[in-house]
Amino acid sequence: MGSQGGFGQSKEFLDLIKSIGETRSKAEEDRIVLHEIETLKRRISEPDIPKRKMKEYIIRLVYVEMLGHDASFGYIHAVKMTHDDNLLLKRTGYLAVTLFLNEDHDLIILIVNTIQKDLKSDNYLVVCAALNAVCKLINEETIPAVLPQVVELLDHTKEAVRKKAIMALHRFYQKSPSSVSHLLSNFRKRLRDNDPGVMGATLCPLFDLITIDVNSYKDLVISFVSILKQVAERRLPKSYDYHQIPAPFIQIRLLKILGLLGIGDKQASGSMYTVIGDIIKKCDSSSNIGNAVLYESICCVSSIYPNPKLLEAAADLISRFLKSDSHNLKYMGIDALGQLIKISPEIAEKHQLAVIDCLEDPDDTLKRKTFELLYKMTMSSNVEVIVDRMIDYMISINDNHYKTYIASRCVELAEQFAPSNHWFIQTMNKVFEHAGDLVNVKVAHNLMRLIAEGFGEDAAAADSLLRSSAVESYLSIIGEPKLPSVFLQVICWVLGEYGTADGNYSASYITGKLCDVAEAYSNDETVKAYAVTALTKIYAFEITAGRKVDMLSECQSLVEELSASHSTDLQQRAYELLALTRLDVHAIESIMPPDASCEDIEIDKNLSFLNSYVQQSLENGAQPYIPENELAGTWNINNLRSQDQHEFSQHGLRFEAYELPKPPVQPTVSPPSLSSSTELVPVPEPSYLRESHQVSSATSVSDAGSSELKLRLDGVQRKWGKLKYSSPSSSTSSSTSQKPVIGVTQADVSSSVNSKPRDTYDSRKSHVDPEKQKLAASLFGGSSKTEKRPSSSHKTAKASGNAVDGSQEPKTAVVSNEVHVNKTYHEPPPDLLDLGEQTFSSSTSLDPFKQLEGLLDPSQVTSTRNHSVAAATKAPDIMAIYAETTSSAQTSSDGYSIPSSGDDMNLIFGFSNATTNISHGETTTVTPLSQSIKGPNLKDALQKDSMVRQMGVTPSTQNPNLFKDLLG
Amino acid sequence: MIQFVLLISRQGKVRLTKWYSPYSQKERTKVLRELSGVILSRVPKLCNFVEWREYKVVYKRYASLYFCMCIDQDDNELETLEIIHHYVEILDRYFGSVCELDLIFNFHKAYYILDELLIAGELQESSKKTVARLIAAQDSLVETAKEQASSISNIIAQATK
């Protein structure tokens, strides 16, 4: 390809880029860019600009826009440039418009015509450029304008065009499925395209289509399986190999599709088993891309109809991932584990320590993924530990998006698995306290409902216990400063409803607290409304119970203040309170029956009880009622209140009467709808109620995996008290897996895996602190009690351990699926693909194991490579290891790198001498990577440097990195 | 699907942005600020993935340049990591030992290459050779096509006179 390092731009532009490169602050950069915008605005509108010049202006516009500034003044020029006949200019024009314009931009209509013309061009490059633009710019309305041509291009002679046409059609499908619904068969047809690139591209739309409608594509299972088989058998052209893996991107896509097609389909899944098994067996797990394919196979295995053999293989892969030193692989391992436990929950136990390690990892990403896994494996025996952990983490983070998410997860788990009322209330308190304002308001309403409904009829005692403990905890928490509004609403409601119910607290105590709340949060009207209504209820209950009511003075002043409030809602509540206290016992009892928040209200819609009254009025000469539909506007809510001796109001201007909430209505409504004015207190939608009843009672562990955030109240009732979820598997089986070398009943594979990576894994934390073990025990059902920790002699006997492993070498060679995680050590190199010099001697890692290894001679190091995995904590990324080279290189862990002053610890592409695919039981022919041929190309860098200097664009000293090769 | 591709230098300077979903200029600035804050502050050795909003961002550092791709929840992170590497390898082939400076001054070429690799947020071509061939064809044919175009238009112009 040769170096394309020439900078075709003008000095002016280079200066601009350079000056921006040298800015030290965003403000400075903005200043320069704004100046540039002014210049461009002036220049671009000059008449008769040479086209070459114009092209540069357009590129400068792209640059300005890329830096986040508005270049819309020049869009039209970019559009014009697409009209140009010159392909060079046209391409620039297309590039600019695809970067500038979104599909809904007005200017697009000006381009459609050009696109139409270009799609018909006989130069396939023009067609390609136009298709690129089509993918970005064509919207639902303009699809018909280009659709016929795009469809025609599906049969173009050039595969690049066919490929892009497929992608364009896919895009159309995403934008407007109906517009291309008649063309979907084209995707099937293109699946058989001779060009692998076109076939690969076709998999994108097919994946989307199959996601939506699995059944119409079942017939393709055989085709997909055979394609995958061919790919795995290296039947595709060599150029599709990527790091020695045959067309991995296509494999991944196919595995995804098969995963969809095999869901719950025994027959379809049956035809996939062989090929998936082959892939798992063959795929090289020492490269990142190999692991990507393996990960996808795990996903596929766990989504199709289960096959014990494959599940075992998948479990094995997961343990390799988890034991890897690479955070990336651990992350994928945790993710894969989360998928697999849906089918075989018992495998989680084997990995308990690894999971806990991930949980305590400083890497937030890994931690979150682990919480996700824990969420999926929560059951009543470990819910306390898991939710506690989640809450701790929730408190420690600032990211509101994730805080909300994890809070809702906590609530969900607590509601589903809570072991006791007390714990449940405490947990909810914590969640509300720390994330109250982020929690969905429905959660609060649900909590109220839960406390109100309790466990149903047969557990009245438990109900009142729940309520008492709620009241108690709320009273203790109520004094804390700055509680979230939602939480206060719950507190007020519960105190109002049940504060005095168990007789532990006097009405004056509770009312005092409520007044405090109303005062402390005086600018939160919702809270005040809740507080006043709570007061009303407490007084009503007191009167009903025959006790004398002494309104506290602060209470009185609060009510007085609120009755003059600007908020009509508050005012109304205050007046209601006053009115209520003046009524007699019987009236109050019927208006506010104690503990009746869950009673259904019977509504007599016909108002038949008024019949006699109406009759009487008519006899007295009143006008008969004219129904609403006959006389619009006369309908008046007042007839609802005719008990109050109102005359029917005749006509009037009241088209919509406002409805005064009648006190008796209130307590009988379901708890959340305390307020009658919806804008203040959200009332749960009716559908919500239904939802909670739909929840199946038999929530299995896998069920918990459903990410839907719904509150399973039914589940709670059943779950509580009973330990329905025993730990998924007996602890005995897990103990074996924890022993490092001892023969395990699992497949031969695991024994070798045990003997090596597990060693390293365990040895790394040969002093697992008891805390962790305890945690493991509580998370995984006490299995760690029986587990034997590997002796601490590992640490000291490391060197000899190496030798032992070395002697085991032949054994591992037989074993399939061995972990080929190798690591090379580098000085922090500047370059990414490090070639040329060996830096084996430069392993200056601080890791103690590493140092120990330094004592060994290099040949020994190779034989103990798996140990180095554990030791490689200094190396940035295990995934960066690409490609094994010959076994002849086995004399040392060759790392190539160019020593440099760079402080940049980059991703290292070590050409590690790898296990040379022992796992395949075949010797791979050595295909040196293309990069390995290429030297570090210092010459190029120097050339570039001198060229830039000639142009006067001296890169400033502060950024010498600019010259560093991205890939060494 | 890939939502967007970002190239950010270690100093937080933007080297390339490509958006496959509609983001307004304001949102783009916000995303860039947010993500460069998150990604640049991550120490080495951590995962190359960040969960961000309802997406995942996969990033990888090459010399002083961070390549970031934002993907959907159900996408394969390791694969994305390799798509990034695939792109870098193609850039490397094209520029011949690509360095950040190449991308700074030839960002439009980096765009052209990206357009051959990804389209509408999906990987369209996984063969390095094919991409390289297409780019080369564009680069070389641009010149000849230019001449042809002018000669053809001359002919047409003469013919239609």
Side-chain angles (χ1 to χ4, degrees), chain A residues 809-866:
Chain A
E809 186 64 11
K811 190 175 151 205
T812 45
V814 188
V815 175
S816 62
N817 296 344
E818 219 238 321
V819 182
H820 311 291
V821 244
N822 302 292
K823 205 67 209 177
T824 44
Y825 300 95
H826 299 271
E827 279 277 76
D831 303 276
L832 297 163
L833 259 185
D834 311 306
L835 304 157
E837 290 173 53
Q838 292 195 5
T839 51
F840 181 71
S841 56
S842 67
S843 49
T844 53
S845 152
L846 297 174
D847 192 287
F849 298 138
K850 183 73 202 74
Q851 286 168 348
L852 268 169
E853 265 177 16
L855 299 175
L856 302 167
D857 69 46
S859 66
Q860 217 167 345
V861 171
T862 42
S863 65
T864 61
R865 55 192 172 274
N866 283 307

Side-chain angles (χ1 to χ4, degrees), chain A residues 640-652:
Chain A
L640 288 174
R641 296 189 284 129
S642 44
Q643 264 176 327
D644 304 339
Q645 305 299 319
H646 277 228
E647 282 295 330
F648 282 1
S649 63
Q650 300 296 325
H651 303 275

Side-chain angles (χ1 to χ4, degrees), chain A residues 165-380:
Chain A
I166 286 282
M167 299 307 268
L169 213 52
H170 180 207
R171 192 66 166 175
F172 295 163
Y173 175 74
Q174 288 173 334
K175 295 233 164 91
S176 151
S178 58
S179 65
V180 291
S181 54
H182 57 292
L183 297 166
L184 299 182
S185 60
N186 280 299
F187 293 133
R188 285 164 171 269
K189 212 166 91 196
R190 282 295 136 219
L191 193 62
R192 297 191 294 272
D193 198 284
N194 291 329
D195 183 72
V198 180
M199 184 272 291
T202 315
L203 297 175
C204 293
L206 282 174
F207 175 77
D208 274 15
L209 290 169
I210 293 170
T211 312
I212 294 163
D213 178 15
V214 180
N215 289 326
S216 354
Y217 292 89
K218 289 280 186 194
D219 57 310
L220 286 179
V221 172
I222 303 300
S223 315
F224 287 129
V225 168
S226 90
I227 295 173
L228 185 56
K229 195 156 171 278
Q230 291 176 45
V231 173
E233 287 170 357
R234 297 177 182 270
R235 302 263 193 86
L236 289 194
K238 258 279 175 259
S239 70
Y240 282 87
D241 281 14
Y242 180 83
H243 297 238
Q244 267 86 65
I245 309 265
F249 297 106
I250 293 176
Q251 285 194 40
I252 288 173
R253 256 183 230 158
L254 282 166
L255 283 168
K256 274 195 173 145
I257 290 175
L258 290 183
L260 287 177
L261 287 169
I263 296 174
D265 186 336
K266 198 170 176 181
Q267 198 200 342
S269 304
S271 57
M272 305 171 191
Y273 292 150
T274 326
V275 68
I276 298 173
D278 277 357
I279 286 175
I280 294 181
K281 229 178 280 163
K282 276 188 192 167
C283 208
D284 164 33
S285 61
S286 65
S287 70
N288 187 27
I289 188 67
N291 286 320
V293 176
L294 288 175
Y295 165 79
E296 208 56 61
S297 339
I298 300 175
C299 295
C300 184
V301 166
S302 47
S303 96
I304 61 176
Y305 190 88
N307 170 295
K309 242 182 160 169
L310 285 180
L311 285 177
E312 200 180 289
D316 229 58
L317 287 174
I318 289 176
S319 67
R320 271 197 253 163
F321 282 174
L322 286 177
K323 278 170 200 130
S324 150
D325 248 4
S326 149
H327 275 72
N328 287 350
L329 283 189
K330 277 190 189 157
Y331 175 94
M332 299 313 270
I334 293 280
D335 189 85
L337 191 58
Q339 311 218 19
L340 204 62
I341 54 169
K342 279 184 234 158
I343 303 176
S344 42
E346 71 283 351
I347 71 156
E349 213 167 324
K350 284 189 231 162
H351 306 297
Q352 41 177 310
L353 282 175
V355 170
I356 287 164
D357 261 11
C358 292
L359 195 61
E360 286 171 357
D361 199 276
D363 189 346
D364 252 12
T365 311
L366 195 52
K367 214 177 234 177
R368 289 178 187 188
K369 198 82 206 173
T370 315
F371 276 123
E372 196 60 35
L373 171 69
L374 290 182
Y375 167 77
K376 285 180 191 160
M377 49 187 253
T378 305
M379 44 205 167
S380 47

